[in-house]
Amino acid sequence: AQSVTQPDARVTVSEGASLQLRCKYSYFGTPYLFWYVQYPRQGLQLLLKYYPGDPVVQGVNGFEAEFSKSNSSFHLRKASVHWSDWAVYFCAVRGAGNKLTFGIGTRVLVRP
Amino acid sequence: EAGVTQSPRYAVLQEGQAVSFWCDPISGHDTLYWYQQPRDQGPQLLVYFRDEAVIDNSQLPSDRFSAVRPKGTNSTLKIQSAKQGDTATYLCASSRSGNTLYFGEGSRLIVV
């Protein structure tokens, strides 16, 4: 069965600094991978998705992610964090039936 | 295009009471998912439908949880005899033919 590990439960970053959130996946075959963001008291919103092809994927609001098959990773990056990026970020892998398996999430706190 | 709509947004119950959550997916989306998201955890799939048919309900606690989608559009998730362990946010998502999942804002349940 597929799984996703997000090793960092919480990350604190200063506004304007760069951000990287780690995601490791376990999947037999070629994975389809996703990053979602959850703002306070809201549902999940899609940031970006990886379908087999270019390993670097661009998303909304300046986010990008890089797929690595050798490392079984799909890390999320942003060059310059804004206060509005304060949220919880979830990595997910798609399995049979288009079912998504999520990690536990990484909470990003932004210091002014 | 309207997004996924869920109601109620909040519910507070005593143990043993029942509650129903309602979901209106994006128009034209044939697949509908219900996820349970305990506090500080990632969403976990409970059940999903394609049109009116249940495709997978293996993670649905069948003794107290039930879900229906009678006309292949709106869906209802019902919890009978709620327990404190059911405290979570219940997320509905929809997709068109196995493509990207779009989530509603969720229904937050507290069982005291």
Side-chain angles (χ1 to χ4, degrees):
Chain A
Q2 64 264 24
S3 66
V4 171
T5 301
Q6 294 180 252
D8 304 308
R10 178 181 291 201
V11 169
T12 302
V13 61
S14 296
E15 193 169 15
S18 63
L19 174 69
Q20 175 169 286
L21 303 182
R22 296 184 291 166
C23 171
K24 301 274 283 186
Y25 68 88
S26 173
Y27 186 80
F28 182 76
T30 301
Y32 288 55
L33 296 159
F34 303 79
W35 277 98
Y36 282 83
V37 60
Q38 188 173 36
Y39 299 105
R41 300 290 189 263
Q42 294 187 29
L44 279 71
Q45 299 174 30
L46 181 67
L47 273 181
L48 49 79
K49 57 188 177 185
Y50 168 78
Y51 287 179
D54 190 335
V56 179
V57 181
Q58 302 297 321
V60 299
N61 298 334
F63 284 94
E64 68 174 25
E66 184 166 4
F67 168 73
S68 170
K69 185 172 183 178
S70 60
N71 294 326
S72 298
S73 67
F74 187 54
H75 300 331
L76 182 70
R77 301 189 295 247
K78 186 171 183 178
S80 178
V81 169
H82 188 262
W83 66 266
S84 60
D85 295 323
W86 185 310
V88 182
Y89 294 79
F90 292 96
C91 182
V93 63
R94 193 178 87 175
N98 200 32
K99 294 183 290 185
L100 293 182
T101 298
F102 288 88
I104 64 168
T106 298
R107 185 177 300 273
V108 172
L109 307 177
V110 182
R111 284 194 298 248
Chain B
E1 179 180 78
V4 177
T5 304
Q6 293 186 243
S7 65
R9 291 294 310 277
Y10 301 95
V12 180
L13 304 178
Q14 293 190 335
E15 278 197 316
Q17 290 185 311
V19 64
S20 291
F21 299 118
W22 178 81
C23 174
D24 186 5
I26 294 172
S27 178
H29 282 196
D30 57 351
T31 310
L32 185 147
Y33 307 79
W34 283 102
Y35 281 82
Q36 181 190 58
Q37 184 181 18
R39 185 177 175 84
D40 296 330
Q41 296 186 35
Q44 298 154 17
L45 183 68
L46 290 174
V47 59
Y48 82 100
F49 300 83
R50 187 165 299 121
D51 299 319
E52 69 277 6
V54 173
I55 304 302
D56 186 347
N57 62 358
S58 60
Q59 302 305 310
L60 195 68
S62 57
D63 58 334
R64 297 183 300 106
F65 285 62
S66 62
V68 295
R69 193 185 184 201
K71 297 182 179 179
T73 52
N74 302 336
S75 177
T76 302
L77 175 70
K78 184 173 183 178
I79 306 175
Q80 294 180 317
S81 191
K83 299 181 179 180
Q84 288 188 357
D86 299 331
T87 294
T89 297
Y90 292 84
L91 296 167
C92 179
S94 69
S95 74
R96 187 196 307 271
S97 302
N99 289 314
T100 301
L101 270 67
Y102 294 90
F103 285 82
E105 293 191 320
S107 295
R108 190 175 181 197
L109 173 65
I110 298 174
V111 183
V112 298

